[in-house]
Amino acid sequence: MKVELWSEITCPWCGLGSHRLDMALERFEHGDEVELIHRSLPLSDHLSVGGGVSVRQALRQHHGLADDSLEAGPRHVEALAAREGLVPYTVLENEVGNTRWAHEFLAHASAQGKNRAAWDRIFRSYFGEARSVFTVDALLDLADELGLERNETRRVLDDGRYRQQVQDEARQAQRLGATGAPFLVIDGHYAVPGAQGTDTLLRTLRQAWDETHPSLAVADSGEGVCGPDGCAVPATRPARA
């Protein structure tokens, strides 16, 4: 089974949604047969590249929220994360910035066979440690932690080698019906928008699996049954010479 999850790195619902999907896959009976692929859905083009602003400032300037109302949403996500064991999970006291380089970094890591490890690490770095993911130097530090070659990673970010791939992934999500992040697709058939709860994700995984892997009904015919060590003949049926 192929599961694709489109996310924006600094979207608090995306980090929580990724955690919930991991929890659902741990409980899923066929989790070891699932190929999980993280994909990019950047939503920060309106912010300048290379810098960051506080979440509070961004909520005021870009979303028009007043001081007395801007805390409710971030605090709600933080509380949900805490209840689900995802701590620390910093949203309100964090920074946001343009994530173009970060998505290109993730595409590079994915090409090196580190898709899931890189996405897990960048979410943990941003939400769990409140570290910047907006500068080349910050991403090079993550490259070191993931075992990626630092100078090659710098060249990748300098020449924009994966820029088109990131854009293509975003357009693919939109063609599949995404209007925001996170956006989950199972086997190219089931689309799940938003950070659904772990139980809901688990039910959807099971439903998708059952529809693509139908069980065979076995009739009790009374005939001999063949197993890995040979064929057994029922005791009520005499063997032929």
Side-chain angles (χ1 to χ4, degrees), residues 49 129 164:
V49 176
E129 302 164 9
Q164 187 62 53

Side-chain angles (χ1 to χ4, degrees), residues 132-144:
S132 171
V133 295
F134 312 118
T135 68
V136 170
D137 286 342
L139 296 169
L140 292 179
D141 289 342
L142 288 179
D144 291 340

Side-chain angles (χ1 to χ4, degrees), residues 35-232:
E35 179 188 14
L36 172 58
I37 302 173
H38 288 269
R39 300 198 184 279
S40 291
L41 187 52
L43 302 172
S44 59
D45 287 346
H46 59 287
L47 297 170
S48 59
V49 176
V53 298
S54 72
V55 168
R56 293 175 183 274
Q57 182 179 344
L59 290 174
R60 292 189 195 100
Q61 292 182 348
H62 301 289
H63 298 279
L65 296 181
D67 289 346
D68 59 352
S69 60
L70 61 80
E71 292 195 9
R75 292 300 189 206
H76 175 61
V77 182
E78 290 174 344
L80 287 175
R83 285 203 293 270
E84 297 176 34
L86 191 58
V87 289
Y89 197 74
T90 305
V91 179
L92 186 61
E93 305 303 334
N94 216 332
E95 289 190 342
V96 291
N98 192 299
T99 56
R100 187 186 77 187
W101 281 333
H103 284 286
E104 293 175 23
F105 167 79
L106 289 166
H108 169 59
S110 298
Q112 306 304 310
K114 297 179 181 292
N115 176 273
R116 190 168 182 179
W119 277 89
D120 287 348
R121 186 66 192 96
I122 207 166
F123 277 138
R124 188 167 69 253
S125 176
Y126 179 71
F127 290 109
E129 302 164 9
R131 288 168 56 182
S132 171
V133 295
F134 312 118
T135 68
V136 170
D137 286 342
L139 296 169
L140 292 179
D141 289 342
L142 288 179
D144 291 340
E145 295 172 23
L146 289 165
L148 298 172
E149 208 286 321
R150 188 179 183 94
N151 291 331
E152 175 62 14
T153 303
R154 183 185 292 278
R155 285 192 290 270
V156 164
L157 297 177
D158 285 344
D159 65 26
R161 194 175 310 175
Y162 291 97
R163 194 160 302 158
Q164 187 62 53
Q165 177 179 320
V166 170
Q167 294 171 358
D168 289 344
E169 288 188 359
R171 280 193 286 268
Q172 181 186 6
Q174 292 167 359
R175 287 195 299 271
L176 291 170
T179 58
F183 184 71
L184 180 72
V185 175
I186 303 174
D187 274 344
H189 181 64
Y190 284 88
V192 184
Q196 302 294 329
T198 300
D199 289 343
T200 299
L201 291 171
L202 181 58
R203 285 195 299 271
T204 305
L205 289 168
R206 286 170 172 165
Q207 180 180 355
W209 180 272
D210 289 344
E211 291 193 7
T212 56
H213 300 76
S215 299
L216 293 176
V218 179
D220 184 7
S221 64
E223 298 297 322
V225 179
C226 291
D229 299 319
C231 294

